[in-house]
Amino acid sequence: MKNKCKLRALLFLLLNINVLAISVNISTYKSRNEIVKRESESFGRYIVVKFGVFDLKTKKLKVSGASVINKYQEEDLNCLEPIIKSATMSETQLEDFSKFVEFNDRFFQTQYGVLVEKSCLEKSNRKYIESNILKSYKDGLSCLQELDGEGSKELLLKMNNLFSDSDNKPKIFCSETNADIKSKGINWTDAKAYASASDEFSSDEMKHPFISLGQQWRWQDNAYSFRGTLFHEFIHNTGCIHTKTIEKSYTCQTCCFSEIDNPNAMMSPAQSAVEQKEVACKICRSTYEGITDKNYLRDYAKFSILGGQTSFLLPVLKSYMKERPGDDFAVEIFVEADNNGPLAKALLSNKGPVTKYELLAEIVKEYAKGNYVQSAKFIRKLKQERKYFTNNQYSSIYEEIEKDLLFMSFGNPEIKLQADNPFNSLFKQSKDFLSSPVSLK
């Protein structure tokens, strides 16, 4: 059994390895008789993804394209016995199992593997940091075990690989300033933490797998939230990236560390919070055909709507819109998410675009049809009329489509948005990668 478990773990790692820094993912969508192959490569603070949609039977190419996403933002339970055992130890056993010890001039080490930068002690004491890392580890893995689904078993195996690699231990950093992370497109005003998902995130100073905690975040104020954030970031360390993979970081965090279960909560949970946890647990435990599986997108949309996080929807729906041009499914999701709001009304209306919401609706509809030149035309009109969105729910939709069209404009000169294209350098870097078409061969 021991050799069998090692073999399965090795096969798992081989199936998820990156070759020459290019990540390849092939998803089979039997529900729509298609195969989608996605290839991605990291360039600075972005990941460029190119895709091909092929007929499942004939293997003929149906649709192809590329997009850009921000970089920073899967078995047998017997094989998981060591990590499950540590996750179910008593508090006394855990204290003996894991204590801070000196590792080198920069880190302390816990006996189960995590290295903690000494600068973290400037924000809190060793006991607080250690106990909450341990509780995050213990409670998170126990939660995944109890979910007992194919998706949660897959994540458990990934976590086991993460914590059992004695040659490459997970690391927690606390010393990065806003100036340090500016080039990564992150600001500690908006973010509590970020984490690496692969070696592509490594630098000379910070090697994958790592978590970087924001200097302005007050950990002591909410230990339960701190544990949930750590669990979220450890999931990133297993290879999960927002919008590029099935959303496990947010959903498993919400399932296993929901605020409705916070022992220090002062109020009874709203019904929407209870329902959001239910759908979060469903996504966390489940497997799907791929990131553009309608079942997954429906579940994720429900999760986002119940949590009031509809600004997260477009980055997730964008892949579906590009792989399935002319399909109204994504537009229907936007209508549902806006819940009779101005964008929903505009999407359902046939009136000519006059208001900023009507212009945004045309931008979305044309983009969903694959009419990118026309979508860019409405973006230019919105800018010319100086109509801006103050609500993040709407501005995020506009900005995400504009970002994608700006990058696409290098391959389509008819998409005219602005002379000083911010993706000029990125396109030059990724030109060779984009020049070769996606093929099943």
Side-chain angles (χ1 to χ4, degrees), residues 41-216:
E41 188 169 356
S42 174
F43 298 92
R45 57 187 276 195
Y46 297 105
I47 296 173
V48 176
V49 182
K50 60 182 180 180
F51 69 89
V53 180
F54 302 85
D55 183 273
L56 182 60
K57 293 181 179 180
T58 66
K59 305 298 186 291
K60 289 184 177 179
L61 181 67
K62 298 171 68 175
V63 183
S64 63
S67 60
V68 57
I69 61 176
N70 294 327
K71 182 195 289 187
Y72 298 96
Q73 325 195 6
E74 266 190 331
E75 223 164 298
D76 189 322
L77 281 177
N78 291 328
C79 297
L80 305 172
E81 187 174 348
I83 202 166
I84 296 303
K85 183 177 179 183
S86 66
T88 54
M89 287 180 179
S90 69
E91 294 298 326
T92 303
Q93 289 173 313
L94 284 169
E95 287 178 7
D96 295 334
F97 174 60
S98 180
K99 295 181 183 297
F100 263 137
V101 294
E102 191 91 11
F103 183 71
N104 57 27
D105 290 339
R106 187 172 187 180
F107 295 101
F108 289 103
Q109 177 181 299
T110 61
Q111 289 185 15
Y112 58 92
V114 178
L115 301 181
V116 181
E117 192 177 33
K118 292 179 179 179
S119 63
C120 298
L121 300 184
E122 297 171 10
K123 298 199 64 173
S124 188
N125 59 65
R126 291 190 193 183
K127 183 177 180 180
Y128 182 85
I129 295 174
E130 169 68 4
S131 64
N132 281 293
I133 292 174
L134 198 54
K135 284 285 285 179
S136 172
Y137 171 87
K138 173 189 172 185
D139 295 349
L141 295 176
S142 293
C143 172
L144 292 177
Q145 182 187 16
E146 290 170 8
L147 286 173
D148 195 29
E150 291 304 311
S152 50
K153 288 178 183 178
E154 185 176 299
L155 187 54
L156 270 169
L157 181 60
K158 288 181 175 182
M159 286 287 200
N160 191 28
N161 291 334
L162 175 68
F163 284 98
S164 62
D165 187 349
S166 59
D167 296 326
N168 190 23
K169 307 172 190 298
K171 295 162 282 291
I172 297 179
F173 293 90
C174 300
S175 57
E176 281 195 297
T177 66
N178 261 327
D180 295 327
I181 64 172
K182 186 177 180 181
S183 64
K184 301 174 181 177
I186 307 170
N187 189 309
W188 287 139
T189 304
D190 304 317
K192 291 180 179 179
Y194 78 91
S196 63
S198 69
D199 289 331
E200 294 174 311
F201 290 69
S202 295
S203 64
D204 291 339
E205 288 292 309
M206 302 168 74
K207 299 294 184 183
H208 171 72
F210 68 82
I211 296 171
S212 183
L213 300 177
Q215 293 190 334
Q216 297 176 343

Side-chain angles (χ1 to χ4, degrees), residues 35 82 99 128 133 152 163 173 182 203 222 225 230 235 242 268-269 273 291 316 348 350 364 368 400 407 426 436:
I35 298 173
K99 295 181 183 297
Y128 182 85
I133 292 174
S152 50
F163 284 98
F173 293 90
K182 186 177 180 181
S203 64
N222 192 335
S225 175
L230 288 171
I235 292 173
H242 299 310
S268 298
I291 60 171
V316 176
L348 293 171
N350 292 320
V364 171
E400 189 69 27
F407 186 72
L426 175 63
S436 58

Side-chain angles (χ1 to χ4, degrees), residues 373 376-377 380 405-406 409 412-419:
V373 174
K377 174 184 174 182
R380 291 197 300 272
L405 292 176
L406 279 166
S409 67
N412 187 345
E414 292 185 61
I415 301 176
K416 301 172 184 177
L417 286 175
Q418 59 188 67

Side-chain angles (χ1 to χ4, degrees), residues 21-37:
I22 296 177
S23 174
V24 179
N25 172 270
I26 299 177
S27 299
T28 300
Y29 295 86
K30 293 182 179 179
S31 59
R32 61 188 199 226
N33 296 312
E34 290 178 344
I35 298 173
V36 180
K37 183 177 181 180

